[in-house]
Amino acid sequence: LTEEEKRKLYEGIGYREDEVLPDKPKEYVENRFNFSLKSCCFKLRNHGMDLVNSKLEEVLAMFEQRPAAEAFRFSLSTENLIAEGVKQDDNSSTVIVKPDIAYKGPDEKLFSAEVEVNPLYTTADSALRVAVQPVKILYDAVTVAETVHFFSMPSSSFEELKNAANRQLARLAKVGRLSVQHAIEEHKTLNVNINLKAPYIIIPEGGSFSSDSRLLMADLGSLQINSDLQPDD
């Protein structure tokens, strides 16, 4: 058949070549992939001295696909984060980042994020859910100074890096504008559920923590964003 004859035939029987055959319900998950990591460590080290030791625990990732609904879902979460700074004069480590157990429920993840296209629980075309529990951040002057020194670079290299970053940000901004414009033209809807409990910062007098230090504490509050989807009509 010629292309014109095929087109007329497909129109007559109500068939589209790109149509997903409804042989399975839209709830059916055809593929699911799970990834789990018990723990992983990251270390910042300079000339034999450990600057920052950080540890993530119970990192979980999941991807699932529902072809009948042309849908997929991706989620990522972690249970715990601990970071230690430069060792003190008595060779003890200072914990500079740790979860705030008082505000974190027993079944809550420290960080969790989920992206879904064509979700089942909402009429939106896609959904985004993010939840972050609070952490304690302890300011340690030695750790901050050594980390800044580690990442310092000559002014010429810094300018080159800055220019490259600006070019990349300009490209990303252009892609972002085009994506938003496309979403508006296609009338795409996004269901957003974001709950960010900001960290609170502890600053000891003199920049070094001890049991009798006077402390300045800053609670950065929380941020919640939820979609208010309107009916199509």
Side-chain angles (χ1 to χ4, degrees):
L1 296 176
T2 65
E3 290 297 324
E4 181 65 20
E5 291 171 335
K6 286 172 62 177
R7 184 184 64 80
K8 291 181 178 180
L9 175 62
Y10 291 165
E11 287 180 355
I13 63 176
Y15 171 76
R16 294 203 328 264
E17 288 186 278
D18 59 347
E19 185 176 17
V20 178
L21 297 178
D23 55 340
K24 296 174 182 175
K26 62 181 182 179
E27 298 86 359
Y28 176 74
V29 178
E30 184 169 296
N31 299 299
R32 177 180 288 138
F33 304 93
N34 293 310
F35 171 81
S36 63
L37 189 64
K38 187 68 177 177
S39 65
C40 61
C41 298
F42 303 93
K43 179 178 292 188
L44 193 62
R45 190 177 178 87
N46 189 25
H47 298 296
M49 181 173 65
D50 292 342
L51 306 183
V52 177
N53 284 317
S54 58
K55 182 179 181 181
L56 284 172
E57 295 179 341
E58 301 295 340
V59 180
L60 304 175
M62 185 275 295
F63 176 84
E64 70 176 25
Q65 184 183 28
R66 294 182 286 112
E70 297 184 319
F72 72 84
R73 180 163 67 102
F74 174 76
S75 64
L76 178 66
S77 66
T78 185
E79 185 76 23
N80 197 16
L81 167 65
I82 296 177
E84 297 178 345
V86 175
K87 289 188 176 182
Q88 306 299 310
D89 295 335
D90 59 356
N91 207 34
S92 62
S93 298
T94 300
V95 178
I96 57 175
V97 178
K98 67 177 180 179
D100 186 2
I101 302 177
Y103 293 94
K104 180 178 176 295
D107 297 325
E108 289 182 312
K109 303 292 186 182
L110 180 64
F111 167 83
S112 63
E114 181 178 283
V115 178
E116 187 169 5
V117 173
N118 294 329
L120 293 171
Y121 63 90
T122 178
T123 57
D125 297 291
S126 55
L128 171 65
R129 289 186 284 191
V130 179
V132 178
Q133 301 303 318
V135 296
K136 296 179 182 179
I137 298 179
L138 175 64
Y139 173 79
D140 182 72
V142 176
T143 300
V144 172
E146 291 293 339
T147 303
V148 170
H149 176 70
F150 179 86
F151 286 105
S152 62
M153 60 183 66
S155 58
S156 58
S157 299
F158 176 76
E159 286 299 324
E160 292 176 3
L161 181 61
K162 180 180 177 181
N163 293 334
N166 288 335
R167 289 193 297 269
Q168 185 64 28
L169 286 174
R171 285 195 290 267
L172 291 175
K174 182 178 180 180
V175 171
R177 287 196 303 270
L178 293 175
S179 300
V180 171
Q181 182 179 354
H182 176 74
I184 293 174
E185 292 173 353
E186 296 294 326
H187 301 287
K188 298 293 185 181
T189 55
L190 174 65
N191 186 13
V192 176
N193 185 349
I194 297 177
N195 184 10
L196 304 180
K197 297 177 181 178
Y200 67 87
I201 302 173
I202 304 172
I203 304 176
E205 184 181 23
S208 180
F209 178 79
S210 64
S211 58
D212 57 350
S213 297
R214 290 190 291 183
L215 306 174
L216 172 65
M217 303 181 67
D219 187 345
L220 302 183
S222 62
L223 172 66
Q224 276 193 303
I225 302 176
N226 294 289
S227 295
D228 183 14
L229 298 177
Q230 303 299 310
D232 295 335
D233 54 358

Coordinates of all heavy atoms in Angstrom, one line a residue, residues 115-180:
V115 N 9.9 11.3 41.2 CA 9.4 11.9 39.9 C 8.6 10.9 39.2 O 9.0 9.7 39.0 CB 10.6 12.4 39.0 CG1 10.0 13.0 37.7 CG2 11.4 13.4 39.8
E116 N 7.4 11.3 38.7 CA 6.5 10.3 38.1 C 5.8 11.0 36.9 O 5.4 12.1 37.0 CB 5.5 9.8 39.0 CG 4.7 8.6 38.4 CD 3.8 7.9 39.5 OE1 3.8 8.3 40.6 OE2 3.2 6.9 39.1
V117 N 5.8 10.3 35.8 CA 5.1 10.7 34.6 C 3.8 9.9 34.4 O 3.8 8.7 34.5 CB 6.0 10.6 33.3 CG1 5.2 10.9 32.0 CG2 7.2 11.5 33.4
N118 N 2.7 10.6 34.2 CA 1.4 10.0 34.1 C 1.1 9.2 35.4 O 0.8 8.0 35.3 CB 1.2 9.1 32.9 CG 1.3 9.9 31.6 OD1 0.9 11.0 31.5 ND2 1.8 9.3 30.5
P119 N 1.1 9.9 36.5 CA 0.8 9.2 37.8 C -0.6 8.7 37.9 O -1.5 9.3 37.3 CB 1.2 10.2 38.9 CG 1.0 11.5 38.2 CD 1.3 11.3 36.7
L120 N -0.9 7.8 38.8 CA -2.2 7.2 39.0 C -3.0 8.0 40.0 O -4.2 8.0 39.9 CB -2.1 5.8 39.4 CG -1.6 4.7 38.4 CD1 -1.3 3.4 39.1 CD2 -2.5 4.6 37.2
Y121 N -2.3 8.6 41.0 CA -3.0 9.2 42.1 C -3.5 10.7 41.8 O -4.1 11.3 42.7 CB -2.1 9.2 43.3 CG -0.9 10.0 43.2 CD1 -0.8 11.3 43.6 CD2 0.3 9.4 42.8 CE1 0.4 12.1 43.5 CE2 1.5 10.1 42.7 CZ 1.5 11.4 43.0 OH 2.7 12.1 42.9
T122 N -3.2 11.2 40.7 CA -3.6 12.6 40.4 C -3.9 12.7 38.9 O -3.4 11.9 38.1 CB -2.5 13.6 40.8 OG1 -2.9 14.9 40.4 CG2 -1.2 13.3 40.0
T123 N -4.6 13.8 38.5 CA -4.9 14.0 37.1 C -3.8 14.7 36.4 O -3.9 15.0 35.2 CB -6.2 14.8 37.0 OG1 -6.1 16.0 37.7 CG2 -7.4 14.0 37.6
A124 N -2.8 15.2 37.1 CA -1.7 15.9 36.5 C -0.9 15.0 35.5 O -0.9 13.8 35.6 CB -0.8 16.5 37.5
D125 N -0.2 15.6 34.6 CA 0.6 14.9 33.6 C 1.8 14.3 34.2 O 2.3 13.3 33.8 CB 1.0 15.8 32.4 CG -0.2 16.3 31.7 OD1 -0.9 15.5 31.0 OD2 -0.5 17.5 31.7
S126 N 2.3 15.0 35.3 CA 3.5 14.5 36.0 C 3.5 15.0 37.4 O 2.7 15.8 37.8 CB 4.8 14.9 35.3 OG 4.8 16.3 35.2
A127 N 4.3 14.3 38.2 CA 4.3 14.7 39.7 C 5.7 14.7 40.2 O 6.6 13.9 39.8 CB 3.5 13.6 40.4
L128 N 5.9 15.6 41.2 CA 7.2 15.7 41.9 C 6.9 15.8 43.4 O 6.2 16.6 43.8 CB 7.9 17.0 41.4 CG 9.2 17.3 42.2 CD1 10.3 16.3 42.0 CD2 9.7 18.7 41.7
R129 N 7.6 14.9 44.1 CA 7.5 14.9 45.6 C 8.9 14.9 46.2 O 9.7 14.1 45.8 CB 6.7 13.7 46.0 CG 5.2 13.7 45.7 CD 4.5 12.6 46.3 NE 4.7 11.3 45.6 CZ 3.9 10.3 45.8 NH1 3.0 10.2 46.7 NH2 4.2 9.2 45.1
V130 N 9.1 15.8 47.1 CA 10.4 15.9 47.7 C 10.2 16.2 49.2 O 9.4 17.0 49.6 CB 11.3 17.1 47.2 CG1 12.6 17.2 47.9 CG2 11.5 16.9 45.7
A131 N 10.9 15.5 50.1 CA 10.8 15.6 51.5 C 12.2 15.6 52.1 O 13.0 14.7 51.8 CB 10.0 14.6 52.2
V132 N 12.6 16.6 52.9 CA 13.9 16.7 53.6 C 13.7 16.9 55.1 O 12.9 17.9 55.4 CB 14.7 17.8 53.0 CG1 16.1 17.9 53.7 CG2 14.9 17.6 51.5
Q133 N 14.3 16.1 55.9 CA 14.2 16.3 57.3 C 15.3 17.2 57.8 O 16.4 17.3 57.2 CB 14.2 14.9 58.0 CG 13.1 13.9 57.6 CD 11.7 14.5 57.8 OE1 11.5 15.1 58.9 NE2 10.9 14.3 56.9
P134 N 15.2 17.8 59.0 CA 16.2 18.7 59.5 C 17.5 18.0 59.9 O 17.4 16.9 60.4 CB 15.5 19.4 60.6 CG 14.5 18.4 61.1 CD 14.0 17.7 59.9
V135 N 18.6 18.7 59.8 CA 19.9 18.3 60.2 C 20.5 19.4 61.1 O 20.2 20.6 60.9 CB 20.8 17.9 59.1 CG1 20.3 16.7 58.3 CG2 21.1 19.1 58.2
K136 N 21.4 19.0 62.0 CA 22.2 19.9 62.8 C 23.5 20.2 62.0 O 24.2 19.2 61.6 CB 22.5 19.3 64.1 CG 21.3 19.1 65.0 CD 21.7 18.5 66.4 CE 20.5 18.2 67.3 NZ 20.9 17.6 68.6
I137 N 23.8 21.4 61.9 CA 25.1 21.8 61.3 C 25.9 22.6 62.3 O 25.5 23.7 62.8 CB 24.9 22.6 60.0 CG1 24.1 21.8 58.9 CG2 26.2 23.1 59.4 CD1 23.9 22.6 57.7
L138 N 27.1 22.1 62.7 CA 27.9 22.7 63.7 C 29.1 23.4 62.9 O 29.8 22.8 62.2 CB 28.5 21.7 64.6 CG 29.5 22.2 65.7 CD1 28.9 23.2 66.6 CD2 30.1 21.0 66.4
Y139 N 29.2 24.7 63.2 CA 30.2 25.5 62.6 C 31.5 25.2 63.3 O 31.6 25.3 64.5 CB 29.9 27.0 62.6 CG 31.1 27.9 62.2 CD1 31.3 28.1 60.8 CD2 31.9 28.5 63.1 CE1 32.4 28.9 60.4 CE2 32.9 29.3 62.7 CZ 33.2 29.5 61.4 OH 34.2 30.3 61.0
D140 N 32.6 24.8 62.5 CA 33.9 24.6 63.0 C 34.9 25.4 62.2 O 35.0 25.2 61.0 CB 34.3 23.1 63.0 CG 35.6 22.8 63.6 OD1 35.8 22.9 64.8 OD2 36.5 22.5 62.8
A141 N 35.5 26.4 62.8 CA 36.3 27.4 62.1 C 37.5 26.7 61.4 O 37.8 27.0 60.2 CB 36.9 28.4 63.0
V142 N 38.1 25.7 62.0 CA 39.3 25.0 61.4 C 38.9 24.3 60.1 O 39.5 24.3 59.1 CB 40.0 24.1 62.4 CG1 41.1 23.4 61.7 CG2 40.5 24.9 63.6
T143 N 37.8 23.5 60.2 CA 37.3 22.8 59.1 C 36.9 23.7 57.9 O 37.2 23.4 56.8 CB 36.0 21.9 59.5 OG1 36.4 21.0 60.6 CG2 35.5 21.1 58.3
V144 N 36.2 24.8 58.2 CA 35.8 25.7 57.2 C 37.0 26.3 56.5 O 37.1 26.4 55.3 CB 34.9 26.8 57.8 CG1 34.6 27.9 56.7 CG2 33.6 26.2 58.2
A145 N 38.0 26.8 57.3 CA 39.2 27.4 56.8 C 40.0 26.4 55.9 O 40.4 26.8 54.8 CB 40.1 27.9 57.9
E146 N 40.2 25.2 56.4 CA 40.9 24.2 55.6 C 40.2 23.8 54.3 O 40.8 23.6 53.3 CB 41.2 23.0 56.4 CG 42.2 23.2 57.6 CD 43.6 23.5 57.1 OE1 43.9 23.1 55.9 OE2 44.4 24.0 57.9
T147 N 38.9 23.7 54.4 CA 38.1 23.4 53.2 C 38.1 24.5 52.1 O 38.3 24.2 50.9 CB 36.6 23.1 53.6 OG1 36.6 22.0 54.5 CG2 35.8 22.6 52.4
V148 N 38.0 25.7 52.6 CA 38.2 26.9 51.7 C 39.5 26.9 51.0 O 39.7 27.1 49.8 CB 37.9 28.2 52.4 CG1 38.2 29.4 51.5 CG2 36.4 28.3 52.8
H149 N 40.6 26.6 51.8 CA 41.9 26.6 51.3 C 42.1 25.4 50.2 O 42.8 25.6 49.2 CB 42.9 26.4 52.4 CG 44.4 26.2 51.9 ND1 45.1 27.3 51.4 CD2 45.2 25.1 51.9 CE1 46.3 26.8 51.0 NE2 46.4 25.5 51.3
F150 N 41.4 24.3 50.5 CA 41.5 23.1 49.6 C 40.9 23.5 48.2 O 41.5 23.1 47.2 CB 40.7 22.0 50.2 CG 40.7 20.7 49.4 CD1 41.8 19.8 49.4 CD2 39.7 20.5 48.5 CE1 41.8 18.7 48.6 CE2 39.7 19.3 47.7 CZ 40.7 18.4 47.8
F151 N 39.9 24.2 48.2 CA 39.2 24.5 46.9 C 39.7 25.9 46.3 O 39.2 26.3 45.3 CB 37.7 24.6 47.1 CG 37.0 23.3 47.3 CD1 36.6 22.8 48.5 CD2 36.9 22.4 46.2 CE1 36.0 21.6 48.7 CE2 36.3 21.2 46.4 CZ 35.9 20.8 47.6
S152 N 40.6 26.5 47.0 CA 41.1 27.8 46.4 C 41.9 27.5 45.2 O 42.6 26.5 45.1 CB 41.9 28.6 47.5 OG 43.0 27.8 47.9
M153 N 41.9 28.5 44.3 CA 42.7 28.4 43.0 C 43.2 29.7 42.6 O 42.7 30.8 43.1 CB 41.8 27.7 42.0 CG 40.5 28.6 41.6 SD 39.4 27.8 40.4 CE 38.9 26.3 41.4
P154 N 44.1 29.8 41.7 CA 44.6 31.1 41.2 C 43.5 31.9 40.5 O 42.5 31.3 40.0 CB 45.7 30.6 40.1 CG 46.1 29.3 40.5 CD 44.9 28.6 41.1
S155 N 43.6 33.2 40.6 CA 42.5 34.0 40.1 C 42.2 33.8 38.6 O 41.1 33.9 38.2 CB 42.9 35.5 40.3 OG 44.1 35.8 39.7
S156 N 43.3 33.5 37.8 CA 43.1 33.3 36.4 C 42.3 32.0 36.2 O 41.3 32.0 35.4 CB 44.4 33.1 35.7 OG 45.2 32.1 36.2
S157 N 42.6 31.0 36.9 CA 41.8 29.7 36.8 C 40.3 29.9 37.3 O 39.4 29.4 36.7 CB 42.4 28.6 37.6 OG 43.7 28.3 37.2
F158 N 40.2 30.8 38.3 CA 38.9 31.0 38.9 C 38.0 31.8 37.8 O 36.8 31.5 37.6 CB 39.0 31.9 40.1 CG 37.6 32.3 40.7 CD1 36.8 31.4 41.4 CD2 37.2 33.6 40.5 CE1 35.6 31.7 41.9 CE2 35.9 34.0 41.0 CZ 35.1 33.0 41.7
E159 N 38.6 32.7 37.1 CA 37.9 33.5 36.1 C 37.5 32.6 35.0 O 36.4 32.7 34.4 CB 38.8 34.6 35.6 CG 38.9 35.8 36.5 CD 37.6 36.4 36.9 OE1 36.7 36.5 36.0 OE2 37.4 36.8 38.0
E160 N 38.4 31.6 34.6 CA 38.0 30.7 33.5 C 36.9 29.8 33.9 O 35.9 29.5 33.1 CB 39.3 29.8 33.1 CG 40.4 30.6 32.5 CD 41.6 29.7 32.2 OE1 41.5 28.5 32.6 OE2 42.6 30.3 31.8
L161 N 36.9 29.3 35.2 CA 35.9 28.5 35.7 C 34.6 29.3 35.8 O 33.5 28.7 35.4 CB 36.2 27.9 37.1 CG 35.2 27.0 37.7 CD1 35.0 25.8 36.9 CD2 35.7 26.6 39.1
K162 N 34.6 30.5 36.2 CA 33.5 31.4 36.3 C 32.8 31.6 35.0 O 31.6 31.5 34.8 CB 33.8 32.7 37.0 CG 32.7 33.7 37.1 CD 33.1 35.0 37.8 CE 32.0 36.0 37.9 NZ 32.5 37.2 38.5
N163 N 33.6 31.9 33.9 CA 33.1 32.1 32.6 C 32.5 30.8 32.0 O 31.4 30.9 31.4 CB 34.2 32.6 31.7 CG 34.7 34.0 32.0 OD1 34.0 34.8 32.6 ND2 36.0 34.2 31.7
A164 N 33.1 29.7 32.3 CA 32.5 28.4 31.8 C 31.2 28.1 32.5 O 30.2 27.7 31.9 CB 33.5 27.3 32.0
A165 N 31.1 28.4 33.8 CA 29.9 28.2 34.5 C 28.8 29.1 34.0 O 27.6 28.7 33.9 CB 30.1 28.4 36.0
N166 N 29.1 30.4 33.7 CA 28.2 31.3 33.2 C 27.6 30.9 31.8 O 26.4 31.0 31.6 CB 28.8 32.7 33.1 CG 29.0 33.4 34.4 OD1 28.3 33.0 35.4 ND2 29.9 34.3 34.5
R167 N 28.5 30.4 31.0 CA 28.0 29.9 29.7 C 27.1 28.7 29.8 O 26.1 28.6 29.2 CB 29.3 29.5 28.8 CG 30.1 30.7 28.3 CD 31.0 30.3 27.2 NE 32.0 29.3 27.7 CZ 33.2 29.7 28.2 NH1 33.5 30.9 28.3 NH2 34.1 28.8 28.6
Q168 N 27.5 27.8 30.8 CA 26.6 26.6 31.0 C 25.3 27.0 31.6 O 24.2 26.5 31.2 CB 27.4 25.6 31.9 CG 26.6 24.3 32.1 CD 26.5 23.5 30.9 OE1 27.3 23.6 30.0 NE2 25.5 22.7 30.8
L169 N 25.3 28.0 32.5 CA 24.0 28.4 33.1 C 23.1 29.1 32.0 O 21.9 28.9 32.1 CB 24.3 29.4 34.2 CG 24.8 28.8 35.5 CD1 25.2 29.9 36.5 CD2 23.8 27.9 36.1
A170 N 23.8 29.8 31.1 CA 23.0 30.4 30.0 C 22.3 29.4 29.2 O 21.2 29.5 28.8 CB 23.9 31.4 29.2
R171 N 23.1 28.3 28.9 CA 22.5 27.2 28.1 C 21.4 26.5 28.8 O 20.3 26.2 28.2 CB 23.6 26.2 27.7 CG 24.5 26.7 26.6 CD 25.3 25.6 26.0 NE 26.3 25.1 27.0 CZ 27.6 25.5 27.0 NH1 28.0 26.4 26.2 NH2 28.4 25.0 27.9
L172 N 21.6 26.3 30.1 CA 20.5 25.7 30.9 C 19.3 26.6 31.0 O 18.1 26.1 30.9 CB 21.0 25.3 32.3 CG 22.1 24.2 32.4 CD1 22.6 24.1 33.8 CD2 21.5 22.9 31.9
A173 N 19.5 27.9 31.1 CA 18.4 28.8 31.2 C 17.6 28.8 29.9 O 16.3 28.8 29.9 CB 18.8 30.2 31.5
K174 N 18.3 28.7 28.8 CA 17.6 28.6 27.5 C 16.8 27.4 27.3 O 15.6 27.4 26.9 CB 18.6 28.7 26.3 CG 18.0 28.7 25.0 CD 19.0 28.9 23.9 CE 18.4 28.9 22.5 NZ 19.4 29.0 21.4
V175 N 17.4 26.2 27.7 CA 16.7 25.0 27.7 C 15.5 25.0 28.6 O 14.4 24.5 28.3 CB 17.6 23.8 28.1 CG1 16.8 22.5 28.3 CG2 18.7 23.6 27.0
G176 N 15.6 25.6 29.8 CA 14.5 25.7 30.8 C 13.4 26.5 30.2 O 12.2 26.2 30.3
R177 N 13.7 27.7 29.6 CA 12.6 28.5 29.0 C 11.9 27.8 27.9 O 10.7 27.8 27.8 CB 13.2 29.8 28.4 CG 13.7 30.8 29.4 CD 13.9 32.2 28.8 NE 14.9 32.1 27.7 CZ 16.2 32.3 27.9 NH1 16.7 32.5 29.1 NH2 17.0 32.2 26.8
L178 N 12.6 27.0 27.0 CA 12.0 26.3 26.0 C 11.1 25.2 26.5 O 10.0 24.9 26.0 CB 13.1 25.7 25.0 CG 13.9 26.7 24.2 CD1 15.0 25.9 23.4 CD2 13.0 27.4 23.3
S179 N 11.6 24.5 27.6 CA 10.8 23.5 28.3 C 9.5 24.0 28.8 O 8.4 23.4 28.7 CB 11.6 22.8 29.4 OG 12.8 22.2 28.8
V180 N 9.6 25.2 29.5 CA 8.4 25.8 30.1 C 7.5 26.2 29.0 O 6.2 26.0 29.1 CB 8.8 27.0 31.0 CG1 7.6 27.8 31.4 CG2 9.6 26.5 32.2

